[in-house]
Amino acid sequence: MSENIDRVNETEAAVQDVKPDGHKDQKKREPLFHITKRGQLPLIQAIGIRAAAIVLALIVGGIVSVFVTGKNPIDIYASIFDGAFGNGDRAWVTLQEIAVLLGISLAVTPAFRMRFWNTGAEGQVLIGCLATAACMFWIGGSVPEWLLIVIMLGASIIAGILWGVLPAVFKAFWGTNETLFTLMMNYVAIQLVESFLKIADKSGSNTVGPTILVHGWVPNLFGVQYLLNIVIVAALCVLMYIYLKKTKQGYEISVVGESENTARYVGINVKKVIIRTMAISGAICGLIGFLLVGATSHSIDADLVGGRGFTAIMVSWLAKFNPVIMVLTSFLLVFLDLGAGEMSSALGLNKSYGEILTGIILFFIIGCEFFVQYKINVNKNHKFFVKKGEKEVLE
Amino acid sequence: MKGAIALELKHVTKRFGAVVANHDVSLSVHHGEILAVLGENGSGKTTLMNMISGIYYPDEGEIYIDGNKAQILSPKDSFKYGVGMIHQHFKLVDVFSATENIVLGIEDGKKFNLKESSARIAEIADKYGFEISPEKKIYNMSVSEKQTVEILKVLYRGADILILDEPTAVLTPQETDKLFAVLRRMRDDGKCIIIITHKMHEVLSLSDRVAVLRKGEYVGTVETAMTSESELTEMMVGKKIALNIDRTDALGLGERLVVDKLNCLDEYGVKVLQDVSFSVHGGEILGIAGIAGSGQKELLEAIAGIQPTESGKISYIEPESKELIDLRTKTTAEIRDLGIRLSFVPEDRLGMGLVGNMDAVDNMMLRGYEKSTVFVDRKKPKELADKIIDELEVVTPGTSTPVRRLSGGNVQKLLVGREIASAPKVFMAAYPVRGLDINSSYTIYNLLTKQKESGVAVMFVGEDLDVLMDLCDRIMVIASGKITGIVDARTITKEELGLLMTKTTSVFEDRESRTNSEEKESLSDE
């Protein structure tokens, strides 16, 4: 019977060829383990599982690193940290990146709480960028700078709302699939930006930079380059938390998201809530677009948002749509991304290696949620655990 | 008649997280015997049977089939042991015929031959007295025909041990009688039959022995012939309880809600309500009987302003001013804003009446949140939640626990409590005791009666005809979206109700004149 050890937990395979009768055959068919759902886990235990996942992630990541690169894993982790927070400048860049990612995540969150799968944040931010850049390009110089900035802000928010509300209207009235619709709107935004680039810069460059967009630069707060974005997003985070948890509209969003039937039952106008919420979602995206172009880069290209509209989905989900937890999840993703990038170049490794390591760490952190939800019951009487001598006695 | 032991459970235990669904259950069933497994909802009946049919695997204990220890890891295994389970919710492919559904998934290495299979199915059906046409498509079948297909499916696979989970929940009294006749014939043929139920009279009329479960514990097995309804109830609940509904006379406060020739289509454009006309009076309980899915849901939702309607009239009559307000074209929000206090306990508690993932406070807020302007006030809902938990004895860890974690009875108490709290003029409840234990059920019946006594017009959609006849003042029967009768609950018999429930060709004019006279009669009685 020892030849069966390596297939004991393949219960499916074991089921196939066994006759129902006969005691001997029965013994080896007992499952090695089975999975049950946990009740509510105490907070300490839940945190413990997640902490264990991080430690495990670092260990596995370290082992893989040693085998693949031959470098000391401690050096690798130190250099990741150095990459994100190594000096003042890097720390500011990291904070700014967190602010942008968190801002977009905050934008998609009300929609997600409503179970409206907005995959169009990328386009909604980009169209905000475009509206800002267009104002800078065409209106810049003909109105006072402060007025230009106000116009840029208004235009970007309106553009974001337009990109958010359009799929919402179609969803509310005709039941179209919002995931596909918002996704396709991304490509429309990208194409519009491409056209703008051709108009604004006849040289055919794929970036319109600060040499062309000379007007409408949003002034720095206290002379610190990224502080304005960080302050705005921090304020947004608090406001979003209050909006979702304490206001009537936030409550309506939760009811519509949890159960449209309940919403109809208590007389909530579901269409109105869907459209209103997507307008808010789009407006915040537009605002982030304004900050990206007007306050940060003063340039625009089709890849300016750089996939953060999609990463934001992960940030929001990982935080279970809680704006405060999202600070942590966006920090984690930005930290790993920037740190791993720096680490690869500092240690002279292929850039992909940083991504591999990030993947390993995320795998553990996301995977541990399974163990928070479910418990694995190991069958201690299984012959896998019974020593050879005892086994013969058993039979 | 009784043969050898077919199935034996020894010290079976099954846990789900911290919940013990079955604790140390031991019981046995013989060939040629019908065993009823009796217990309240949540007592672990279905979990126990799912372990025999391979859906769950026991944490502890053993299962023996025909004297041999059985390891049942999947439903496929259970077939090999000759166990067949007929679930409460049918698992059939709608566009397939009976035969196709029955042979689906059989891998016996033989050539696939539908004709031959049909013949064998007809033979089995003949033997036990089933009525079935093997070529009929499932979507053309009634609920009882679908159930027949499910039973034939396990018989075709050679099942010797049949487990039926609440088989009569969806059947009319006449269909139930037919099913029981078939089951008796199968028993006499030496099959071992286990029937899960919580209906006492079915246990007494059908089974040979009764095994009682209570909160996952095995209480004991008794010979049906040697026991009584009160003894079984006591075993099931753990204490003696009085099962009486204290019905008072209707108050006769005049019409409160008048529905006139209401027509309604469902989302696929199929007519679900056809020329429905009736009235509800203040201070009475109008029962609504009918086979599940006959239009009860749409009717109540149409009155509540949730379900759009085609034509007709739904008039609400203000009790003081006698002012007539048409509700048919109004939305839920408009009805609410007019100050018409209409309460509705929908069939789908956690999908419509409450939000499962929200706590008791937020669920209380579903009614009344609209009065707030920007911020919501959770103080009053919290007070209401505390009050309901206190008064209706809701068992819950606290007001911040998501309500889906509560048992069905406690969920329902929260919902009914909230709906009563608004001091309604019209109170509608759809299947309010479905899935509730006996004590909670009677709590709900008493709450409905109290509403009636305080002058509310109560509408009660129920499935247990005995309860409808004990609780209501009048019973309206609905069949395929048409009203087939409005009768006096005090004088009607169960058989008459059963006939009305299956009556499909109703002559409208004829019925109208007859029910009108009946209505007058029943009112003059009171």
Side-chain angles (χ1 to χ4, degrees), chain A residues 15 20 26 29-31 34 37 40 242 245-248 251-252 254-255 258-259 261-262 264-268, chain B residues 59 71 73 77 306 332 336 344 351-352 355 357-358 362 365-367 369-370 372 374 376 378 405 418-419:
Chain A
V15 166
Q26 303 296 323
R29 297 178 69 237
E30 278 185 27
H34 61 275
K37 203 167 164 101
Q40 182 76 326
I242 294 171
K245 300 264 171 173
K246 305 279 177 200
T247 68
K248 183 177 167 184
Y251 180 70
E252 287 179 334
S254 307
V255 175
E258 289 290 347
S259 158
N261 271 336
T262 307
R264 291 192 299 126
Y265 164 76
V266 295
I268 292 175
Chain B
D59 292 341
Q71 292 287 343
L73 295 177
D77 279 9
I306 303 166
T332 309
R336 181 187 67 205
F344 179 26
M352 184 176 248
V355 177
N357 282 331
M358 287 185 173
D362 276 18
M365 215 155 71
L366 284 170
R367 296 286 192 207
Y369 89 94
E370 74 281 351
S372 50
V374 178
V376 285
R378 285 191 166 79
R405 294 232 185 89
R418 186 192 72 200
E419 291 301 297

Short mmCIF file of all heavy atoms in Angstrom, two decimals, chain A residues 15 20 26 29-31 34 37 40 242 245-248 251-252 254-255 258-259 261-262 264-268, chain B residues 59 71 73 77 306 332 336 344 351-352 355 357-358 362 365-367 369-370 372 374 376 378 405 418-419:
data_model
loop_
_atom_site.label_atom_id
_atom_site.label_comp_id
_atom_site.label_asym_id
_atom_site.label_seq_id
_atom_site.Cartn_x
_atom_site.Cartn_y
_atom_site.Cartn_z
N VAL A 15 -11.13 7.75 -6.36
CA VAL A 15 -12.52 7.32 -6.41
C VAL A 15 -12.78 6.39 -7.58
O VAL A 15 -13.49 5.40 -7.46
CB VAL A 15 -13.44 8.57 -6.52
CG1 VAL A 15 -14.84 8.16 -6.90
CG2 VAL A 15 -13.44 9.33 -5.22
N PRO A 20 -16.99 -0.58 -4.18
CA PRO A 20 -17.59 -0.15 -2.93
C PRO A 20 -17.37 -1.14 -1.78
O PRO A 20 -17.42 -0.76 -0.63
CB PRO A 20 -19.07 -0.04 -3.25
CG PRO A 20 -19.24 -0.26 -4.67
CD PRO A 20 -17.96 -0.69 -5.26
N GLN A 26 -11.23 0.49 1.27
CA GLN A 26 -11.85 1.65 1.91
C GLN A 26 -10.81 2.53 2.58
O GLN A 26 -10.86 3.74 2.49
CB GLN A 26 -12.85 1.20 2.98
CG GLN A 26 -13.94 0.31 2.46
CD GLN A 26 -14.80 1.01 1.46
OE1 GLN A 26 -15.06 2.17 1.59
NE2 GLN A 26 -15.21 0.30 0.42
N ARG A 29 -9.11 5.33 0.88
CA ARG A 29 -9.92 6.35 0.23
C ARG A 29 -10.34 7.48 1.17
O ARG A 29 -10.95 8.43 0.75
CB ARG A 29 -11.16 5.70 -0.38
CG ARG A 29 -10.80 4.72 -1.47
CD ARG A 29 -12.02 4.06 -2.03
NE ARG A 29 -12.83 5.00 -2.79
CZ ARG A 29 -14.08 5.25 -2.53
NH1 ARG A 29 -14.67 4.69 -1.50
NH2 ARG A 29 -14.76 6.09 -3.28
N GLU A 30 -9.98 7.33 2.42
CA GLU A 30 -10.30 8.44 3.31
C GLU A 30 -9.54 9.68 2.86
O GLU A 30 -8.35 9.63 2.60
CB GLU A 30 -9.90 8.10 4.75
CG GLU A 30 -10.93 7.27 5.44
CD GLU A 30 -10.59 7.05 6.90
OE1 GLU A 30 -9.91 7.91 7.48
OE2 GLU A 30 -11.00 6.02 7.42
N PRO A 31 -10.22 10.82 2.75
CA PRO A 31 -9.50 12.00 2.27
C PRO A 31 -8.47 12.46 3.30
O PRO A 31 -8.67 12.32 4.49
CB PRO A 31 -10.61 13.04 2.10
CG PRO A 31 -11.72 12.57 2.96
CD PRO A 31 -11.61 11.08 3.05
N HIS A 34 -9.96 18.08 4.36
CA HIS A 34 -11.07 18.75 3.68
C HIS A 34 -11.18 20.18 4.19
O HIS A 34 -10.66 20.53 5.25
CB HIS A 34 -12.38 17.97 3.81
CG HIS A 34 -12.85 17.80 5.20
ND1 HIS A 34 -12.42 16.77 6.00
CD2 HIS A 34 -13.71 18.52 5.95
CE1 HIS A 34 -13.00 16.87 7.18
NE2 HIS A 34 -13.79 17.92 7.18
N LYS A 37 -15.53 26.33 5.78
CA LYS A 37 -15.56 27.79 5.90
C LYS A 37 -15.47 28.18 7.38
O LYS A 37 -16.04 27.54 8.24
CB LYS A 37 -16.85 28.32 5.29
CG LYS A 37 -16.75 29.75 4.88
CD LYS A 37 -17.93 30.14 3.99
CE LYS A 37 -17.98 31.64 3.95
NZ LYS A 37 -17.52 32.35 2.93
N GLN A 40 -16.59 33.93 11.96
CA GLN A 40 -15.86 35.18 12.10
C GLN A 40 -14.55 34.92 12.83
O GLN A 40 -14.53 34.34 13.90
CB GLN A 40 -16.73 36.19 12.86
CG GLN A 40 -16.09 37.55 13.01
CD GLN A 40 -16.18 38.34 11.70
OE1 GLN A 40 -16.10 37.78 10.61
NE2 GLN A 40 -16.33 39.64 11.81
N ILE A 242 -16.12 59.68 4.75
CA ILE A 242 -17.35 60.24 5.35
C ILE A 242 -18.53 60.06 4.40
O ILE A 242 -19.61 59.66 4.80
CB ILE A 242 -17.14 61.73 5.70
CG1 ILE A 242 -16.08 61.85 6.79
CG2 ILE A 242 -18.45 62.37 6.14
CD1 ILE A 242 -15.63 63.26 7.07
N LYS A 245 -19.66 56.38 4.40
CA LYS A 245 -20.13 55.80 5.67
C LYS A 245 -21.22 56.62 6.36
O LYS A 245 -21.99 56.07 7.12
CB LYS A 245 -18.95 55.65 6.64
CG LYS A 245 -17.84 54.76 6.12
CD LYS A 245 -17.98 53.35 6.64
CE LYS A 245 -16.98 52.48 5.91
NZ LYS A 245 -16.88 51.14 6.39
N LYS A 246 -21.23 57.90 6.15
CA LYS A 246 -22.10 58.72 6.99
C LYS A 246 -23.23 59.43 6.24
O LYS A 246 -24.14 59.93 6.87
CB LYS A 246 -21.28 59.80 7.72
CG LYS A 246 -20.12 59.27 8.54
CD LYS A 246 -20.58 58.76 9.88
CE LYS A 246 -19.42 58.18 10.65
NZ LYS A 246 -19.86 57.27 11.71
N THR A 247 -23.15 59.52 4.94
CA THR A 247 -24.17 60.31 4.26
C THR A 247 -25.28 59.45 3.69
O THR A 247 -25.14 58.24 3.53
CB THR A 247 -23.57 61.13 3.10
OG1 THR A 247 -23.18 60.22 2.08
CG2 THR A 247 -22.38 61.95 3.55
N LYS A 248 -26.38 60.11 3.39
CA LYS A 248 -27.53 59.46 2.81
C LYS A 248 -27.18 58.85 1.45
O LYS A 248 -27.55 57.72 1.14
CB LYS A 248 -28.63 60.53 2.64
CG LYS A 248 -29.94 60.03 2.12
CD LYS A 248 -30.92 61.20 2.08
CE LYS A 248 -32.16 60.85 1.28
NZ LYS A 248 -33.07 61.99 1.17
N TYR A 251 -25.18 55.75 1.82
CA TYR A 251 -26.05 54.66 2.24
C TYR A 251 -26.82 54.09 1.04
O TYR A 251 -26.92 52.87 0.87
CB TYR A 251 -27.01 55.17 3.31
CG TYR A 251 -27.97 54.15 3.83
CD1 TYR A 251 -27.54 53.09 4.62
CD2 TYR A 251 -29.33 54.24 3.54
CE1 TYR A 251 -28.44 52.15 5.10
CE2 TYR A 251 -30.23 53.31 4.02
CZ TYR A 251 -29.78 52.27 4.80
OH TYR A 251 -30.67 51.34 5.26
N GLU A 252 -27.31 55.00 0.19
CA GLU A 252 -28.03 54.55 -1.01
C GLU A 252 -27.12 53.72 -1.91
O GLU A 252 -27.54 52.70 -2.47
CB GLU A 252 -28.59 55.75 -1.78
CG GLU A 252 -29.77 56.39 -1.09
CD GLU A 252 -30.33 57.60 -1.84
OE1 GLU A 252 -29.57 58.24 -2.60
OE2 GLU A 252 -31.50 57.90 -1.65
N SER A 254 -24.62 51.86 -0.99
CA SER A 254 -24.46 50.53 -0.40
C SER A 254 -25.68 49.67 -0.66
O SER A 254 -25.56 48.49 -0.99
CB SER A 254 -24.26 50.63 1.11
OG SER A 254 -23.21 51.49 1.41
N VAL A 255 -26.87 50.25 -0.51
CA VAL A 255 -28.08 49.44 -0.70
C VAL A 255 -28.18 48.98 -2.15
O VAL A 255 -28.44 47.81 -2.43
CB VAL A 255 -29.35 50.23 -0.28
CG1 VAL A 255 -30.60 49.44 -0.60
CG2 VAL A 255 -29.30 50.56 1.20
N GLU A 258 -25.57 46.24 -2.72
CA GLU A 258 -25.85 44.97 -2.07
C GLU A 258 -27.03 44.26 -2.72
O GLU A 258 -27.03 43.04 -2.87
CB GLU A 258 -26.15 45.18 -0.58
CG GLU A 258 -24.94 45.58 0.25
CD GLU A 258 -23.96 44.45 0.41
OE1 GLU A 258 -24.32 43.31 0.10
OE2 GLU A 258 -22.83 44.71 0.84
N SER A 259 -28.06 45.02 -3.05
CA SER A 259 -29.24 44.38 -3.60
C SER A 259 -30.12 45.40 -4.28
O SER A 259 -30.73 46.25 -3.63
CB SER A 259 -30.00 43.68 -2.46
OG SER A 259 -31.34 43.49 -2.80
N ASN A 261 -32.85 44.80 -5.67
CA ASN A 261 -34.24 44.52 -5.30
C ASN A 261 -34.62 45.26 -4.03
O ASN A 261 -35.72 45.80 -3.92
CB ASN A 261 -34.43 43.02 -5.08
CG ASN A 261 -34.82 42.34 -6.36
OD1 ASN A 261 -35.37 42.98 -7.25
ND2 ASN A 261 -34.54 41.06 -6.46
N THR A 262 -33.71 45.25 -3.05
CA THR A 262 -33.99 45.97 -1.81
C THR A 262 -34.13 47.46 -2.09
O THR A 262 -34.99 48.12 -1.55
CB THR A 262 -32.87 45.72 -0.79
OG1 THR A 262 -32.69 44.33 -0.65
CG2 THR A 262 -33.21 46.32 0.55
N ARG A 264 -35.17 48.89 -4.81
CA ARG A 264 -36.48 49.15 -5.40
C ARG A 264 -37.57 49.02 -4.34
O ARG A 264 -38.53 49.78 -4.32
CB ARG A 264 -36.74 48.18 -6.56
CG ARG A 264 -35.83 48.44 -7.76
CD ARG A 264 -36.29 47.68 -8.97
NE ARG A 264 -36.27 46.24 -8.74
CZ ARG A 264 -37.30 45.45 -8.91
NH1 ARG A 264 -38.44 45.91 -9.35
NH2 ARG A 264 -37.20 44.16 -8.66
N TYR A 265 -37.38 48.05 -3.47
CA TYR A 265 -38.37 47.79 -2.41
C TYR A 265 -38.55 48.99 -1.49
O TYR A 265 -39.66 49.29 -1.07
CB TYR A 265 -37.88 46.55 -1.64
CG TYR A 265 -38.51 46.30 -0.29
CD1 TYR A 265 -39.80 45.79 -0.18
CD2 TYR A 265 -37.80 46.53 0.88
CE1 TYR A 265 -40.35 45.52 1.06
CE2 TYR A 265 -38.34 46.27 2.12
CZ TYR A 265 -39.62 45.77 2.20
OH TYR A 265 -40.16 45.51 3.42
N VAL A 266 -37.45 49.71 -1.18
CA VAL A 266 -37.60 50.87 -0.30
C VAL A 266 -37.76 52.17 -1.08
O VAL A 266 -37.78 53.24 -0.51
CB VAL A 266 -36.43 51.01 0.70
CG1 VAL A 266 -36.40 49.84 1.64
CG2 VAL A 266 -35.11 51.16 -0.03
N GLY A 267 -37.86 52.05 -2.41
CA GLY A 267 -38.15 53.23 -3.20
C GLY A 267 -36.94 54.08 -3.56
O GLY A 267 -37.07 55.27 -3.79
N ILE A 268 -35.76 53.45 -3.59
CA ILE A 268 -34.58 54.19 -4.06
C ILE A 268 -34.63 54.20 -5.59
O ILE A 268 -34.88 53.17 -6.21
CB ILE A 268 -33.28 53.51 -3.58
CG1 ILE A 268 -33.15 53.66 -2.07
CG2 ILE A 268 -32.06 54.11 -4.28
CD1 ILE A 268 -31.96 52.94 -1.48
N ASP B 59 -17.20 14.64 9.54
CA ASP B 59 -15.98 14.90 10.28
C ASP B 59 -15.63 13.69 11.15
O ASP B 59 -14.47 13.37 11.34
CB ASP B 59 -16.14 16.14 11.18
CG ASP B 59 -16.26 17.41 10.36
OD1 ASP B 59 -15.86 17.37 9.19
OD2 ASP B 59 -16.74 18.41 10.89
N GLN B 71 -17.52 4.53 2.17
CA GLN B 71 -16.82 5.81 2.08
C GLN B 71 -17.43 6.58 0.92
O GLN B 71 -17.13 6.31 -0.23
CB GLN B 71 -15.32 5.59 1.82
CG GLN B 71 -14.58 4.97 2.96
CD GLN B 71 -14.39 5.94 4.11
OE1 GLN B 71 -14.54 7.15 3.94
NE2 GLN B 71 -14.07 5.42 5.29
N LEU B 73 -17.54 9.74 -1.03
CA LEU B 73 -16.81 10.98 -1.23
C LEU B 73 -17.47 11.92 -2.23
O LEU B 73 -17.13 13.08 -2.32
CB LEU B 73 -15.39 10.68 -1.70
CG LEU B 73 -14.51 9.93 -0.69
CD1 LEU B 73 -13.17 9.64 -1.29
CD2 LEU B 73 -14.37 10.71 0.59
N ASP B 77 -20.22 8.37 -5.96
CA ASP B 77 -20.05 7.24 -5.04
C ASP B 77 -21.38 6.77 -4.50
O ASP B 77 -21.64 5.57 -4.42
CB ASP B 77 -19.19 7.68 -3.84
CG ASP B 77 -17.73 7.67 -4.16
OD1 ASP B 77 -17.41 7.50 -5.35
OD2 ASP B 77 -16.92 7.82 -3.23
N ILE B 306 -43.61 48.16 -6.74
CA ILE B 306 -42.31 47.69 -7.22
C ILE B 306 -42.45 47.09 -8.62
O ILE B 306 -41.58 47.25 -9.46
CB ILE B 306 -41.74 46.63 -6.25
CG1 ILE B 306 -41.63 47.22 -4.85
CG2 ILE B 306 -40.40 46.10 -6.73
CD1 ILE B 306 -41.40 46.21 -3.78
N THR B 332 -42.98 53.15 -5.49
CA THR B 332 -42.88 52.95 -4.05
C THR B 332 -42.63 54.28 -3.35
O THR B 332 -43.25 54.59 -2.33
CB THR B 332 -41.72 51.99 -3.75
OG1 THR B 332 -41.89 50.84 -4.57
CG2 THR B 332 -41.70 51.57 -2.31
N ARG B 336 -45.04 56.20 -0.65
CA ARG B 336 -44.50 56.55 0.66
C ARG B 336 -44.66 58.05 0.93
O ARG B 336 -45.09 58.46 2.00
CB ARG B 336 -43.02 56.17 0.68
CG ARG B 336 -42.30 56.45 1.98
CD ARG B 336 -40.82 56.20 1.78
NE ARG B 336 -40.24 57.18 0.86
CZ ARG B 336 -39.14 56.96 0.14
NH1 ARG B 336 -38.52 55.80 0.18
NH2 ARG B 336 -38.66 57.89 -0.65
N PHE B 344 -44.70 45.85 3.88
CA PHE B 344 -44.58 44.68 2.99
C PHE B 344 -43.43 43.81 3.47
O PHE B 344 -42.30 44.27 3.54
CB PHE B 344 -44.35 45.20 1.57
CG PHE B 344 -44.17 44.12 0.52
CD1 PHE B 344 -44.71 42.85 0.68
CD2 PHE B 344 -43.46 44.39 -0.63
CE1 PHE B 344 -44.55 41.88 -0.28
CE2 PHE B 344 -43.28 43.42 -1.62
CZ PHE B 344 -43.83 42.16 -1.43
N GLY B 351 -32.92 39.18 0.20
CA GLY B 351 -32.64 39.73 -1.13
C GLY B 351 -33.50 40.94 -1.44
O GLY B 351 -33.28 41.64 -2.41
N MET B 352 -34.52 41.18 -0.62
CA MET B 352 -35.39 42.31 -0.88
C MET B 352 -35.76 43.06 0.40
O MET B 352 -35.59 44.27 0.50
CB MET B 352 -36.64 41.85 -1.60
CG MET B 352 -37.54 43.00 -2.00
SD MET B 352 -38.95 42.47 -2.96
CE MET B 352 -38.59 43.17 -4.55
N VAL B 355 -30.97 43.77 3.78
CA VAL B 355 -29.68 43.59 3.11
C VAL B 355 -28.83 42.71 4.01
O VAL B 355 -28.50 43.10 5.13
CB VAL B 355 -29.00 44.95 2.85
CG1 VAL B 355 -27.64 44.73 2.22
CG2 VAL B 355 -29.87 45.82 1.97
N ASN B 357 -25.75 41.76 4.12
CA ASN B 357 -24.43 42.16 4.58
C ASN B 357 -24.45 43.37 5.51
O ASN B 357 -23.42 43.79 6.01
CB ASN B 357 -23.53 42.48 3.38
CG ASN B 357 -23.02 41.20 2.75
OD1 ASN B 357 -22.87 40.18 3.42
ND2 ASN B 357 -22.77 41.24 1.45
N MET B 358 -25.62 43.95 5.70
CA MET B 358 -25.70 45.11 6.59
C MET B 358 -26.15 44.65 7.98
O MET B 358 -26.80 43.62 8.13
CB MET B 358 -26.68 46.13 6.04
CG MET B 358 -26.16 46.88 4.84
SD MET B 358 -27.34 48.15 4.35
CE MET B 358 -26.39 49.00 3.10
N ASP B 362 -28.47 49.38 10.17
CA ASP B 362 -28.59 49.85 8.79
C ASP B 362 -29.84 49.28 8.13
O ASP B 362 -30.42 49.90 7.24
CB ASP B 362 -27.35 49.45 7.98
CG ASP B 362 -26.23 50.48 8.16
OD1 ASP B 362 -26.30 51.25 9.14
OD2 ASP B 362 -25.30 50.49 7.34
N MET B 365 -32.76 51.25 9.05
CA MET B 365 -32.69 52.54 8.38
C MET B 365 -33.33 52.50 6.99
O MET B 365 -33.65 53.55 6.42
CB MET B 365 -31.24 52.95 8.27
CG MET B 365 -31.01 54.42 8.41
SD MET B 365 -29.35 54.72 8.96
CE MET B 365 -28.39 54.28 7.55
N LEU B 366 -33.50 51.29 6.42
CA LEU B 366 -34.09 51.19 5.08
C LEU B 366 -35.44 51.90 5.04
O LEU B 366 -35.83 52.45 4.02
CB LEU B 366 -34.28 49.71 4.69
CG LEU B 366 -33.01 48.96 4.28
CD1 LEU B 366 -33.30 47.49 4.17
CD2 LEU B 366 -32.49 49.49 2.95
N ARG B 367 -36.15 51.85 6.15
CA ARG B 367 -37.39 52.61 6.25
C ARG B 367 -37.08 53.89 7.03
O ARG B 367 -36.66 53.83 8.18
CB ARG B 367 -38.47 51.81 6.99
CG ARG B 367 -38.90 50.55 6.28
CD ARG B 367 -39.79 50.86 5.09
NE ARG B 367 -40.42 49.63 4.60
CZ ARG B 367 -40.81 49.46 3.34
NH1 ARG B 367 -40.60 50.40 2.44
NH2 ARG B 367 -41.37 48.34 2.98
N TYR B 369 -34.85 56.33 6.17
CA TYR B 369 -33.57 57.02 5.89
C TYR B 369 -33.80 58.22 4.97
O TYR B 369 -33.06 59.19 5.00
CB TYR B 369 -32.57 56.05 5.24
CG TYR B 369 -32.70 56.03 3.75
CD1 TYR B 369 -31.90 56.85 2.95
CD2 TYR B 369 -33.66 55.25 3.14
CE1 TYR B 369 -32.06 56.87 1.58
CE2 TYR B 369 -33.83 55.28 1.78
CZ TYR B 369 -33.02 56.08 1.01
OH TYR B 369 -33.19 56.13 -0.33
N GLU B 370 -34.86 58.12 4.14
CA GLU B 370 -35.08 59.15 3.12
C GLU B 370 -35.44 60.49 3.73
O GLU B 370 -35.37 61.52 3.07
CB GLU B 370 -36.15 58.69 2.13
CG GLU B 370 -37.59 58.73 2.66
CD GLU B 370 -37.95 57.56 3.55
OE1 GLU B 370 -37.14 56.61 3.63
OE2 GLU B 370 -39.02 57.58 4.17
N SER B 372 -33.76 61.93 6.03
CA SER B 372 -32.56 62.70 6.33
C SER B 372 -32.15 63.51 5.10
O SER B 372 -32.53 63.19 3.97
CB SER B 372 -31.43 61.76 6.75
OG SER B 372 -31.31 60.71 5.83
N VAL B 374 -28.53 65.35 4.38
CA VAL B 374 -27.19 64.99 3.89
C VAL B 374 -26.65 63.79 4.66
O VAL B 374 -26.32 62.76 4.08
CB VAL B 374 -26.21 66.17 4.02
CG1 VAL B 374 -24.82 65.74 3.56
CG2 VAL B 374 -26.70 67.36 3.20
N VAL B 376 -26.91 60.68 7.47
CA VAL B 376 -27.93 59.80 8.04
C VAL B 376 -27.76 59.76 9.56
O VAL B 376 -26.65 59.88 10.07
CB VAL B 376 -27.85 58.38 7.46
CG1 VAL B 376 -28.41 58.35 6.07
CG2 VAL B 376 -26.45 57.83 7.50
N ARG B 378 -28.08 57.49 12.74
CA ARG B 378 -28.20 56.08 13.10
C ARG B 378 -28.74 55.88 14.52
O ARG B 378 -28.82 54.76 14.99
CB ARG B 378 -26.86 55.38 12.94
CG ARG B 378 -26.50 55.13 11.48
CD ARG B 378 -25.30 54.22 11.33
NE ARG B 378 -25.16 53.72 9.98
CZ ARG B 378 -24.66 54.41 8.96
NH1 ARG B 378 -24.26 55.64 9.13
NH2 ARG B 378 -24.54 53.87 7.75
N ARG B 405 -25.94 36.56 9.14
CA ARG B 405 -25.39 35.58 10.07
C ARG B 405 -26.44 35.06 11.04
O ARG B 405 -26.20 34.13 11.78
CB ARG B 405 -24.25 36.19 10.89
CG ARG B 405 -23.06 36.54 10.06
CD ARG B 405 -21.78 35.95 10.65
NE ARG B 405 -20.66 36.42 9.87
CZ ARG B 405 -20.03 37.56 10.17
NH1 ARG B 405 -20.37 38.24 11.24
NH2 ARG B 405 -19.04 37.97 9.42
N ARG B 418 -39.64 45.60 11.90
CA ARG B 418 -39.44 46.90 11.26
C ARG B 418 -40.70 47.33 10.52
O ARG B 418 -41.10 48.49 10.58
CB ARG B 418 -38.28 46.82 10.27
CG ARG B 418 -37.93 48.15 9.66
CD ARG B 418 -36.98 47.98 8.48
NE ARG B 418 -37.68 47.42 7.35
CZ ARG B 418 -37.08 46.81 6.34
NH1 ARG B 418 -35.77 46.68 6.32
NH2 ARG B 418 -37.78 46.32 5.34
N GLU B 419 -41.33 46.40 9.83
CA GLU B 419 -42.50 46.75 9.03
C GLU B 419 -43.69 47.12 9.92
O GLU B 419 -44.52 47.94 9.55
CB GLU B 419 -42.87 45.59 8.09
CG GLU B 419 -41.85 45.37 6.98
CD GLU B 419 -41.66 46.60 6.12
OE1 GLU B 419 -42.62 47.03 5.47
OE2 GLU B 419 -40.55 47.18 6.12
#
